Amino acid sequence: MIPYLPKKISNTAIYLYLGALAAVTLFFIRHTMSLTFYIIGIMWVVGFFMLSTYCSFKWQDIPEKKLLKNLFFSALGLRWSWTIFAYIYFFFKTGMPFEFSAGDAIWYYEESMGNVHAKIVDIWRYLFIDSKTISDSGYILYLSLLSKITGYSILLPRLVNGLFSAVMVLLVYFLAKRNIGEEGGRLAAIFTCFMPNLIFYCGLHLKETLMVFLLVAYLERADYLLRSKKYNVFTIAIPILLAITLFTFRTVLGAAAVLAFATALVFTNTSVVGRGKRIMLIAWGALVVTTLTGGVISTELQSTWEDRGENQIAKRTHQTNKGNQWAKYATGTVMAPMMFVMPFPTMVDVDQQYNQQMISGGNYVRNFFGAFVLIAVFSAIFVTKNWRNLSFIGSFAIAYLGIISASGFANSERFLLPALPVLLIMAAYGVTLLNAKNYRFVKIWYYIVPIMAFAWAFFKLGSRGLF
């Protein structure tokens, strides 16, 4: 078992990124990105792999208490540093401290500011009683309550989100430790600590940072409930409340989380979940589902499912009308097999997609780690055959990514983000399982990753007839 990220793999990842970036730049020279985005992309990739390699090696044997301390303060320092930088950078680039082409972020801020002086009961009625939809309501409620402390500040809520993100790193450690062992848990937490995409969203006013925190908190507490021999009303109630909260951020996310728990109850070995406990939890779950049925959540889920085909067609038609002629081929059938490694890095300047260019380095990391995710999945099914005991986190990733692949947002980094912590756990598991036999697959993947980056640039420009 390999308890750290080998330096050879990290160096190769960096060289491949620089090579792919150079190749795309030279071949599509008329569509080069701003120098700033090149610098940011290189910073993401080099920083992630160098820090992950160094820390995973240095921290592999330190006491757990010291590990958690190192993880928390490293994560918090990086997230707060980026948040402050992004605040200043976006202000000079866009004239306001919001990202390029900001839409939802400004709306979240304005909605919360409208509730600064409102009574909490009135905010609750506005969001959860009078409203016909529940998605986003949880985040607006959170921002509204926070604004009563921070006032009209834009920066302070983002710093608080960064704090939640740092705590999320610790939750990943506990979740991964129970599923893939101590070595894998440390590695997964380190990957999560330095993952560019998770750091990037701390500098935005979007809901993703808090939403991912709540998701990981749910997964960790629900997994604890499944595996623990001792349980009470509180250990049962907490994951239920967290699951309900997820529906108020994104209904399909809540649905995937509940489905994953139900799947784990069915497939997890009896040695992990006893028969009596299994029956009791199924009864609790049935009660919760019955309570939710017929309400706003149920109606919104039904509407989302029934309109999934029309939404995908509408999304592709909109992209085609904007000049993206190849978007019509990005159907759920085409996108589903690639969901473990998407989204692809944007290394060319097209349609003013500056936010995608800023996070291209993070997307490259996801692509590169796809090899280790696939090794983990293959090993769990055919080699170690412990897939039953990994069915909870595995079924969540499959369910959520499957839902997104069937929507019009299969290539949207924002919509794919919630699955990232679980994919990082799977990638860490894949690294710990490395041996001479499966490393041959990684060597093949070294050729695939640059091809994906180049092909994505070709797709983006070619579909718009720009070369």
Side-chain angles (χ1 to χ4, degrees):
M1 177 174 287
I2 300 178
Y4 56 87
L5 182 64
K7 186 176 182 180
K8 181 179 179 181
I9 292 177
S10 289
N11 289 341
T12 302
I14 294 172
Y15 297 148
L16 289 175
Y17 175 76
L18 296 176
L21 189 63
V24 170
T25 300
L26 292 174
F27 197 87
F28 305 108
I29 192 67
R30 292 187 300 170
H31 303 282
T32 56
M33 300 185 295
S34 166
L35 178 61
T36 303
F37 299 145
Y38 282 98
I39 295 173
I40 292 176
I42 293 173
M43 175 196 70
W44 289 136
V45 174
V46 174
F48 174 83
F49 284 107
M50 290 187 67
L51 288 171
S52 294
T53 295
Y54 177 82
C55 293
S56 62
F57 182 79
K58 289 292 185 179
W59 298 351
Q60 60 178 312
D61 296 319
I62 63 175
E64 182 179 82
K65 186 176 181 180
K66 185 176 181 180
L67 171 70
L68 296 177
K69 181 180 178 180
N70 290 351
L71 285 169
F72 176 77
F73 285 108
S74 297
L76 187 63
L78 287 171
R79 282 152 176 76
W80 278 3
S81 296
W82 171 258
T83 298
I84 295 171
F85 167 79
Y87 182 92
I88 298 171
Y89 174 78
F90 287 132
F91 185 84
F92 280 102
K93 286 294 183 179
T94 68
M96 54 184 178
F98 290 92
E99 69 274 16
F100 300 100
S101 303
D104 289 348
I106 295 177
W107 179 69
Y108 291 142
Y109 175 72
E110 291 178 344
E111 282 286 300
S112 63
M113 290 304 98
N115 296 326
V116 170
H117 302 295
K119 296 180 180 180
I120 295 178
V121 64
D122 293 332
I123 298 174
W124 181 270
R125 182 183 299 109
Y126 166 67
L127 293 174
F128 297 102
I129 298 177
D130 297 337
S131 177
K132 295 182 179 180
T133 62
I134 198 169
S135 286
D136 294 329
S137 296
Y139 187 58
I140 295 174
L141 174 63
Y142 159 77
L143 286 179
S144 299
L145 296 178
L146 190 60
S147 69
K148 295 184 178 299
I149 302 173
T150 61
Y152 292 93
S153 173
I154 296 175
L155 180 61
L156 288 178
R158 297 180 187 179
L159 294 175
V160 175
N161 284 348
L163 179 62
F164 280 117
S165 186
V167 175
M168 183 264 295
V169 173
L170 307 185
L171 296 178
V172 167
Y173 166 73
F174 293 118
L175 175 62
K177 178 182 176 181
R178 286 195 296 270
N179 281 268
I180 61 176
E182 174 67 28
E183 293 82 3
R186 292 185 177 221
L187 198 54
I190 289 170
F191 289 165
T192 306
C193 177
F194 300 123
M195 186 65 202
N197 301 63
L198 298 174
I199 297 173
F200 176 77
Y201 277 93
C202 292
L204 308 182
H205 221 77
L206 296 171
K207 66 182 178 181
E208 271 66 26
T209 297
L210 183 62
M211 182 172 67
V212 172
F213 163 78
L214 292 171
L215 170 65
V216 174
Y218 162 77
L219 294 175
E220 195 278 329
R221 287 292 84 194
D223 182 77
Y224 174 82
L225 175 61
L226 284 170
R227 297 174 184 274
S228 177
K229 301 300 181 182
K230 298 180 181 179
Y231 52 91
N232 52 44
V233 173
F234 293 103
T235 57
I236 295 174
I238 290 175
I240 290 176
L241 292 175
L242 287 169
I244 294 174
T245 301
L246 290 175
F247 283 98
T248 68
F249 279 71
R250 186 175 292 160
T251 49
V252 295
L253 184 62
V258 172
L259 178 61
F261 189 77
T263 303
L265 284 176
V266 173
F267 290 105
T268 304
N269 288 329
T270 307
S271 59
V272 177
V273 183
R275 184 170 300 175
K277 182 179 180 181
R278 194 188 306 265
I279 294 173
M280 185 271 295
L281 290 177
I282 290 175
W284 268 84
L287 178 62
V288 172
V289 171
T290 301
T291 303
L292 295 177
T293 301
V296 176
I297 293 177
S298 177
T299 303
E300 192 166 339
L301 279 174
Q302 183 178 357
S303 176
T304 301
W305 176 256
E306 291 176 349
D307 295 341
R308 68 192 186 283
E310 289 78 1
N311 290 339
Q312 187 178 57
I313 294 172
K315 176 72 173 180
R316 300 309 173 204
T317 301
H318 174 70
Q319 291 175 321
T320 301
N321 291 337
K322 287 180 63 179
N324 191 347
Q325 298 301 315
W326 296 350
K328 59 185 177 182
Y329 300 113
T331 62
T333 304
V334 173
M335 305 302 285
M338 300 185 289
M339 297 305 287
F340 278 141
V341 300
M342 289 188 68
F344 301 122
T346 298
M347 296 181 174
V348 289
D349 184 17
V350 58
D351 288 351
Q352 297 183 333
Q353 296 176 348
Y354 302 132
N355 296 319
Q356 294 184 33
Q357 294 172 45
M358 286 187 71
I359 198 60
S360 64
N363 291 345
Y364 169 83
V365 174
R366 296 185 63 159
N367 301 158
F368 186 85
F369 269 177
F372 303 102
V373 173
L374 295 176
I375 288 174
V377 172
F378 180 86
S379 297
I381 297 175
F382 299 107
V383 182
T384 59
K385 297 182 180 180
N386 62 336
W387 64 271
R388 287 180 177 274
N389 294 337
L390 298 174
S391 60
F392 180 43
I393 60 174
S395 59
F396 166 75
I398 293 172
Y400 181 74
L401 292 176
I403 293 171
I404 297 302
S405 70
S407 72
F409 303 95
N411 60 337
S412 171
E413 196 273 335
R414 274 187 66 189
F415 281 83
L416 295 172
L417 188 73
L420 183 54
V422 173
L423 293 179
L424 291 175
I425 293 175
M426 296 168 68
Y429 187 42
V431 171
T432 64
L433 295 173
L434 274 180
N435 53 43
K437 185 176 181 180
N438 57 34
Y439 186 62
R440 289 182 296 180
F441 172 72
V442 176
K443 289 182 177 179
I444 296 174
W445 196 257
Y446 289 161
Y447 294 95
I448 297 176
V449 173
I451 292 175
M452 287 192 294
F454 188 88
W456 186 239
F458 180 86
F459 178 88
K460 276 186 167 290
L461 297 174
S463 63
R464 293 166 174 81
L466 295 178
F467 67 82

